Amino acid sequence: MQHSKSVALLFFGHLISAQHEDTRSPPFSSKWYKGRADYAFTQTPDIVKWEPQNPQVVITHFRAERISATGDIVKKRLRWMSTGGDACPLADYSSGNYCKGSWPCAHRSVSCLAGTGDFRIGLFDSLTEEAGYVDGDGFADANQFVEMNKQLAASPFSKYRGYHVRFSPHISRQARSYHDQNTGEHSPGGFYVKDRRGTLFTSSQVGDVGNIGGFDLNRGEWAELKLEMTRLSSLAISLKIEMNGTFYQTTHTWPSEKEAEQ
């Protein structure tokens, strides 16, 4: 399966190729819905495969888990692998390099830093405000990212609350955010909060820019991806992502009880 540089968006998990330890829970026991029906996306009892093109989004629903009381923890674990070629020379992304300034090939190489994270995975609450569920393909069928964002700002998504993480599994752990005068800002990833403002995947960043680095995962190798949210207090939630022996963590603190309830 080939993967070129693109923006791929996912509710619960963006899966290039994934296996889950417990087949009674997502991604295998639940139905996956595609933003457009013609995605190269397949699901079997053993594996989920996706060949994303820019932009695409998929969604699934899992049973409700409490995150409202101090000490509550929500964890999601799955095995991940992605494959495909790199357009940049090996020297550009080996020995700690991450193709800084390598244009245009960096935009077509999963081992290179370009944009703000290759993958975006969201964990959202659709129950509290009775937002409703997606129950079919075609909920975000735009061919352009700007237009898709408008679709993801409409009902039922406008009432969804939660977080998403942007990450680049295959770039170096040493990758850092930088600015290029011709191509703009580039960051390995970060944590983002979705409140009443913004759309699902263009919401406000939590913590410092680029607070997630790379994971140094080789293409064609499996690794376990772990996502974790922990309620620390009525206003604070800890966010964590872990893969290939590396983890990144931050804390989001709501400014007030009223904001936290929204």
Side-chain angles (χ1 to χ4, degrees), residues 32-69:
W32 282 89
Y33 300 106
K34 299 167 288 187
R36 196 171 60 247
D38 61 355
Y39 290 2
F41 184 93
T42 58
Q43 177 180 358
T44 74
D46 299 313
I47 198 167
V48 170
K49 292 184 178 181
W50 185 12
E51 299 180 45
Q53 301 296 319
N54 190 19
Q56 289 188 355
V57 57
V58 296
I59 182 173
T60 192
H61 306 289
F62 52 90
R63 72 178 185 276
E65 297 181 50
R66 194 182 70 177
I67 192 66
S68 57

Side-chain angles (χ1 to χ4, degrees), residues 98-103 106 113-114 176-180 183-187:
Y98 44 98
C99 308
K100 184 176 180 180
S102 300
W103 310 114
L113 172 55
R176 297 294 181 269
S177 299
Y178 73 95
H179 174 81
D180 183 274
T183 59
E185 301 296 329
H186 303 277
S187 173

